[in-house]
Amino acid sequence: SNSTYQANLLLLSSTLPNKAVSNTTSLFATATTGDALDIVYALALCRGDTTDASDCESCVAAAFPDAQQICPYNKDATLYYDACMLRFSNHNFLLANSTEDQKSWITLRNNLNFTIGGDSAKHLLLMRLNSTAQAAANSSRRFITSRLGVDLVPTTVYCLMQCTPDLTPDDCAAC
Ligand SMILES: *[C@@H]1O[C@H](CO)[C@@H](O)[C@H](O)[C@H]1NC(C)=O
Ligand SMILES: *[C@@H]1O[C@H](CO)[C@@H](O)[C@H](O)[C@H]1NC(C)=O
Ligand SMILES: *[C@@H]1O[C@H](CO)[C@@H](O)[C@H](O)[C@H]1NC(C)=O
Ligand SMILES: *[C@@H]1O[C@H](CO)[C@@H](O)[C@H](O)[C@H]1NC(C)=O
């Protein structure tokens, strides 16, 4: 509270949301504020098919106070919303060869098992997911949404994949 670090966060919260929407080709921005011990690295990314820039901007803007409420006194926080994501940190995770990012992942899942259609349906679906990931990785926004259906299964799998657009296609596909 009242630290230089927090002041730097406040400064970023007033500039990064607009910086992200201003990057109209990718709705993505990174920024660094402060120096030495109080430096803050930040990254904001909106959902790749966002057409409403103000949704993007307000999502990123709201993430700053949310982070300080949900993760109080943490210098490093990542928040994921439907419309955007925000990460800030005192560690430079923005470096291309940073290994920091490998530590930050979460999974949320439905605990029901995929039972219909047997192994061949599961395999087909995995292949389709895999080629969808390749398409996301090769797109300029590193983003894709897709409805996947396989003949053996009477349901549709709805799929959304997005990497930060600063990743190479190979790094995105690997992730
Ligand atoms: C932070 O600053 C506000 C306003 O100056 C003050 O009321 C508050 O007590 C300060 N908090 C800390 C933890 O120093
Ligand atoms: C805008 O997005 C591109 C990736 O599409 C990125 O390389 C660039 O750094 C972004 N600009 C800013 C100001 O962050
Ligand atoms: C899903 O499969 C695993 C492994 O076979 C099993 O342990 C688990 O209980 C199953 N979950 C449900 C919800 O049926
Ligand atoms: C997905 O594709 C990559 C290369 O494009 C391959 O290395 C990997 O084995 C594939 N995974 C599955 C489950 O097919």
Side-chain angles (χ1 to χ4, degrees):
S1 188
N2 295 350
S3 64
T4 307
Y5 193 84
Q6 192 186 33
N8 287 337
L9 269 182
L10 197 63
L11 193 63
L12 278 175
S13 74
S14 67
T15 54
L16 192 62
N18 187 261
K19 211 175 160 188
V21 290
S22 301
N23 201 346
T24 52
T25 56
S26 59
L27 301 174
F28 169 73
T30 58
T32 304
T33 295
D35 39 44
L37 291 174
D38 300 306
I39 194 163
V40 187
Y41 303 91
L43 177 159
L45 174 66
C46 289
R47 189 179 141 135
D49 58 356
T50 299
T51 51
D52 187 339
S54 68
D55 268 2
C56 169
E57 189 167 0
S58 60
C59 181
V60 177
F64 279 94
D66 283 359
Q68 290 174 81
Q69 197 151 48
I70 298 165
C71 318
Y73 305 113
N74 278 280
K75 285 186 163 180
D76 191 337
T78 309
L79 282 84
Y80 297 93
Y81 301 83
D82 287 343
C84 73
M85 68 158 289
L86 169 72
R87 180 177 181 189
F88 59 76
S89 179
N90 57 326
H91 299 293
N92 190 359
F93 65 96
L94 302 175
L95 289 172
N97 61 356
S98 170
T99 53
E100 289 286 330
D101 259 1
Q102 292 168 11
K103 284 183 271 167
S104 67
W105 54 269
I106 56 165
T107 65
L108 297 172
R109 65 182 166 216
N110 168 334
N111 70 354
L112 295 177
N113 287 323
F114 190 91
T115 53
I116 41 179
D119 283 349
S120 50
K122 210 187 280 186
H123 181 71
L124 271 176
L125 209 48
L126 275 177
M127 302 282 284
R128 296 285 308 278
L129 280 171
N130 211 16
S131 58
T132 304
Q134 292 295 337
N138 291 328
S139 73
S140 62
R141 284 194 178 187
R142 310 280 181 264
F143 173 82
I144 200 166
T145 57
S146 180
R147 288 184 181 81
L148 304 182
V150 296
D151 287 346
L152 298 164
V153 180
T155 54
T156 302
V157 175
Y158 298 88
C159 156
L160 181 156
M161 303 182 187
Q162 184 170 27
C163 295
T164 56
D166 59 338
L167 289 188
T168 63
D170 280 353
D171 285 347
C172 177
C175 178

